[in-house]
Amino acid sequence: MSRFRSVIAGVGGYLPEKVLTNADIAKMVDTTDEWIRQRTGIRKRHIAAEGETTSMMATIASKRALEAAGMEAGELDMIILATATPDLTFPATATMVQKELGMLRGFAFDISAVCSGFLYALAVADSFMARGQVRSALVIGAETFSRILDWEDRTTCVLFGDGAGAVVLRAEPGAPGMGDRGIVHTHLRSDGRFTDLLYVDGGPSKTQTVGHLRMSGNKVFRHAITNISGAIARVLDDAGLNESDIDWFVPHQANERILEGISKKLGLPKEKVVSTVSEHGNTSAASIPLALDVAIRDGRIKRGDLVLFEALGGGFTWGAALVRM
Ligand code: ACO
């Protein structure tokens, strides 16, 4: 069987223009800037404009990722888009991005794994590439969570925001090795017993409505620390690496306290953690590529660095990935 490595060739991000600060939210529900910052580290979030959809944001992030990779959309073989907030129930938002990019070949589909969606999409793309079935892929995380928030529920509406992030993957020959660029290893998990802790109370089959996000934040927090730590230990073990090999930790940006809890468990110094949650809140599947984009563009993450991703989301779904940039 052929074996190829999936190399991240370019990254792009997009945040909508409209900003909602903690002070703005304090005018809408009974909360304060101080409470939100102390419990989550979030200072503001971006909100999609009226008529601005997940596919529109995904298209902008994708164009930026293609530009960074020095590639044209016509060279892509596959698009995988992770979202819990698609434009329509069907067709897949990925096909809308395919059209907007002018990609007339290959195939495109969506993945639903909520906040872990980007990791799931990355792992699926890597499998296609490792077998030599596709030579280049666009992996996107894009969300308009503002449309499924209950703006009267202070326990959830303060946490989330809208945005999109994308990476272009290019296949290079050879299995992943210690020093070679590319996805080194991924580890995915899910456990369907915890639906009631984090879910949306609507959907086409059950209620014929879009619904609102519901969460028992406190319980999710405890599961997040335990499950994510387990996935990281497993991905490092499978790759034959340990914590001291990690150059950069780019976690799902859910809550500064979750980031700190996990980095502490890993023994990673604060300087190695890329945290952007204060700037845009939890953007679900978009958060890892958005944070990665920031740290590459500001020069922190460089070619050859070993980067660790992790996420946990509704389902529960969770996982971790190691990538040599
Ligand atoms: N402003 C003021 N008070 C609030 C707010 C708010 N926005 N929200 C809740 N409170 C109150 C509660 O009503 C409660 O009051 P009470 O003691 O009088 O009953 C008090 O604050 C404490 O509530 P807790 O839920 O125990 O607060 P906690 O310290 O757990 O923080 C938070 C809540 C921030 C949601 C935290 O649990 C969390 O971040 N959990 C992780 C959730 C998450 O990130 N989910 C995203 C998807 S999963 C993922 O991405 C990892």
Side-chain angles (χ1 to χ4, degrees):
M1 191 180 80
S2 7
R3 180 72 209 180
F4 293 89
R5 288 174 286 121
S6 316
V7 172
I8 294 187
V11 186
Y14 170 78
L15 291 167
E17 207 177 307
K18 184 180 170 191
V19 168
L20 203 61
T21 64
N22 292 348
D24 294 331
I25 292 202
K27 290 180 198 143
M28 299 157 62
V29 289
D30 182 15
T31 190
T32 61
D33 172 50
E34 195 193 2
W35 191 96
I36 301 171
R37 272 192 293 111
Q38 272 184 3
R39 304 279 176 134
T40 71
I42 299 167
R43 294 194 304 116
K44 58 188 170 92
R45 68 287 295 139
H46 293 247
I47 305 292
E50 209 182 318
E52 189 173 31
T53 62
T54 297
S55 70
M56 289 178 190
M57 298 194 301
T59 301
I60 299 172
S62 300
K63 285 181 176 168
R64 291 176 180 168
L66 282 164
E67 195 186 335
M71 277 172 66
E72 301 286 335
E75 296 172 65
L76 290 170
D77 295 326
M78 173 174 78
I79 298 177
I80 310 181
L81 188 148
T83 191
T85 45
D87 287 20
L88 299 171
T89 303
F90 81 79
T93 304
T95 59
M96 300 175 189
V97 175
Q98 181 184 27
K99 177 189 152 220
E100 287 306 313
L101 291 178
M103 176 188 160
L104 300 175
R105 57 201 291 269
F107 57 101
F109 61 96
D110 288 0
I111 276 191
S112 168
V114 204
C115 298
S116 315
F118 179 76
L119 284 185
Y120 271 60
L122 198 69
V124 172
D126 186 40
S127 305
F128 275 103
M129 298 189 92
R131 294 174 65 88
Q133 285 177 297
V134 303
R135 303 306 300 269
S136 59
L138 186 61
V139 176
I140 312 165
E143 305 278 16
T144 42
F145 259 51
S146 62
R147 307 266 154 76
I148 55 164
L149 293 175
D150 175 351
W151 286 102
E152 290 179 0
D153 175 12
R154 68 174 184 174
T155 68
T156 53
C157 76
V158 303
L159 301 172
F160 297 89
D162 302 334
V167 304
V168 173
L169 296 176
R170 207 159 34 205
E172 289 191 7
M178 271 297 289
D180 290 328
R181 295 181 72 205
I183 295 173
V184 179
H185 219 81
T186 58
H187 178 69
L188 302 181
R189 281 294 319 275
S190 69
D191 187 336
R193 290 173 298 169
F194 300 100
T195 309
D196 58 331
L197 297 186
L198 179 53
Y199 66 104
V200 170
D201 62 5
S205 166
K206 196 160 182 174
T207 64
Q208 300 83 57
T209 61
V210 173
H212 290 116
L213 184 146
R214 306 291 174 207
M215 178 170 68
S216 305
N218 207 299
K219 290 181 182 147
V220 172
F221 189 97
R222 288 201 294 273
H223 280 279
I225 302 271
T226 312
N227 293 355
I228 291 168
S229 301
I232 291 172
R234 176 68 189 270
V235 83
L236 282 168
D237 199 43
D238 286 351
L241 296 165
N242 58 53
E243 289 80 354
S244 61
D245 294 309
I246 299 165
D247 294 306
W248 293 101
F249 179 37
V250 183
H252 164 48
Q253 309 286 319
N255 180 322
E256 191 68 43
R257 282 157 60 214
I258 297 179
L259 266 64
E260 280 168 10
I262 293 165
S263 350
K264 213 164 147 194
K265 270 195 161 194
L266 282 170
L268 279 182
K270 229 178 157 188
E271 304 76 59
K272 287 191 172 190
V273 183
V274 177
S275 173
T276 55
V277 67
S278 65
E279 301 306 300
H280 51 62
N282 185 344
T283 57
S284 186
S287 92
I288 291 177
L290 271 171
L292 182 66
D293 183 49
V294 167
I296 289 175
R297 286 180 199 267
D298 70 18
R300 274 179 287 172
I301 297 182
K302 296 189 175 59
R303 187 182 269 244
D305 284 349
L306 185 72
V307 180
L308 170 69
F309 303 143
E310 56 80 354
L312 176 132
F316 290 135
T317 56
W318 70 98
L322 282 166
V323 181
R324 178 81 59 191
M325 295 301 296

